[in-house]
Amino acid sequence: MRPPRPALTVMPLKVRKSLCQAMFRLRSRRLHQDAALEIRALEGRGDGGMIVFTSYHANAAKRGLLEFASSASDGGARHCIFVTDRRQGWFQGEGLAQAILRAVSDYVRRHGLRRLMTVGVSMGGYGALSFAAALGAGRALALAPQFCPRPQTFPADRRWIETRSRIEDFTRPALDQAMGGDIRYTLLHGRRNPEDARHWQAFPQGPGIHHYLADRDTHDVVDPLRAAGILYPVIDAVWKDDQDRVNTLMQRIRAVPRAWGERALDLHSQPAAAVSCATS
């Protein structure tokens, strides 16, 4: 007679997610919470910190925050700070940026953190790129980030259109203005995804920006990284500024550096997009 399966494997998905969320809240510390924003932290042992901007439905790399932190923090060596836009508004809105900077900066100062990295997927990737400089991070990792969430920037991109259309104030500067300084930026997109192609071609290129394009036609680049066993090794390599290691790992999912000037579409043939991208 086959033994019964462990209770966790047969537990309904919603129940499992609720338990994971409860465990995360028990183990983490709340730094800020209001109707628009929640910021929580898991303390680490060292002087480094990962600032994770969560994606849609408040997850990180398609996993619960506690599970993500256990790997991304190098077994608890690094502090993990999770920034969640509770309104799913791409971290836009009056006062939201100030709340993020205040809560995260206070934590960094209180714990004496000297080395910071922002990371995020999709909407979270946008946040990681948008706030890296303001938070004093030395590196940023963004997986499948949007260049601009304004609906009028890329009208053909109808993903999350209802949510994006509800954003009243686009308060963040355009990413081609926000991405600068001495920060090492690492981005990954699916080359052949038609919606993502509109975004990835708009990102700036230059020193310190390492932009990879995978031979994929879907928005999801996390599952290929996880299936190849390299999601957390990529995070660790970016953390260590080991670009040769990042290059080697990316080859496992057929991701190569974006060529200089490489574009999928011509933004100059889309006047609305060209204007909106400059003022996102």
Side-chain angles (χ1 to χ4, degrees):
M1 181 177 179
R2 181 178 298 175
R5 294 161 65 188
L8 187 61
T9 63
V10 297
M11 189 178 298
L13 179 60
K14 288 186 178 180
V15 176
R16 274 188 287 162
K17 290 179 66 175
S18 296
L19 285 175
C20 289
Q21 291 171 356
M23 287 294 296
F24 173 72
R25 290 182 175 278
L26 284 172
R27 291 188 54 185
S28 62
R29 176 184 176 186
R30 185 177 66 192
L31 306 183
H32 177 93
Q33 183 171 332
D34 58 28
L37 180 70
E38 182 173 19
I39 305 176
R40 304 189 73 90
L42 287 165
E43 291 190 13
R45 299 184 299 274
D47 62 358
M50 290 267 189
I51 306 169
V52 183
F53 286 80
T54 66
S55 55
Y56 229 60
H57 305 304
N59 62 29
K62 301 175 70 174
R63 288 295 187 270
L65 303 187
L66 194 60
E67 178 182 342
F68 178 83
S70 66
S71 297
S73 68
D74 191 20
R78 297 187 281 260
H79 296 249
C80 280
I81 303 169
F82 294 89
V83 181
T84 297
D85 183 340
R86 303 181 74 186
R87 295 177 177 172
Q88 320 260 34
W90 271 258
F91 308 95
Q92 310 284 337
E94 188 67 31
L96 191 140
Q98 291 87 339
I100 292 174
L101 296 178
R102 182 172 56 252
V104 174
S105 297
D106 286 350
Y107 184 91
V108 168
R109 183 173 58 256
R110 191 164 54 248
H111 292 274
L113 304 190
R114 300 181 180 180
R115 184 179 175 88
L116 299 174
M117 169 176 163
T118 59
V119 61
V121 177
S122 191
M123 180 180 78
Y126 171 89
L129 298 174
S130 183
F131 284 90
L135 290 170
R139 56 213 56 80
L141 173 62
L143 305 177
Q146 291 77 43
F147 176 74
C148 179
R150 289 175 179 265
Q152 66 268 32
T153 299
F154 303 112
D157 184 359
R158 305 297 294 173
R159 300 172 299 178
W160 319 288
I161 190 62
E162 291 186 5
T163 303
R164 292 190 289 123
S165 296
R166 288 197 296 268
I167 301 174
E168 296 180 356
D169 298 313
F170 287 88
T171 54
R172 299 302 301 156
L175 287 185
D176 56 358
Q177 300 171 19
M179 293 171 62
D182 297 326
I183 301 170
R184 295 174 66 95
Y185 294 95
T186 302
L187 297 79
L188 173 64
H189 285 97
R191 180 194 301 276
R192 295 183 287 108
N193 180 267
E195 290 85 7
D196 276 358
R198 291 176 167 83
H199 291 266
W200 67 247
Q201 69 171 349
F203 276 96
Q205 295 180 279
I209 299 176
H210 305 277
H211 195 169
Y212 296 87
L213 300 176
D215 185 22
R216 297 188 60 81
D217 58 7
T218 63
H219 177 60
D220 180 12
V221 295
V222 172
D223 279 349
L225 290 170
R226 181 175 283 110
I230 62 172
L231 174 60
Y232 296 113
V234 164
I235 293 174
D236 194 59
V238 172
W239 171 264
K240 295 176 178 176
D241 298 327
D242 189 346
Q243 204 58 49
D244 289 339
R245 176 68 170 157
V246 175
N247 288 338
T248 299
L249 292 170
M250 288 294 188
Q251 290 173 9
R252 298 189 191 177
I253 61 166
R254 294 189 296 174
V256 298
R258 176 186 173 192
W260 182 258
E262 181 176 357
R263 301 168 72 85
L265 301 168
D266 185 5
L267 274 181
H268 296 295
S269 68
Q270 304 179 53
V275 172
S276 298
C277 280
T279 58
S280 70

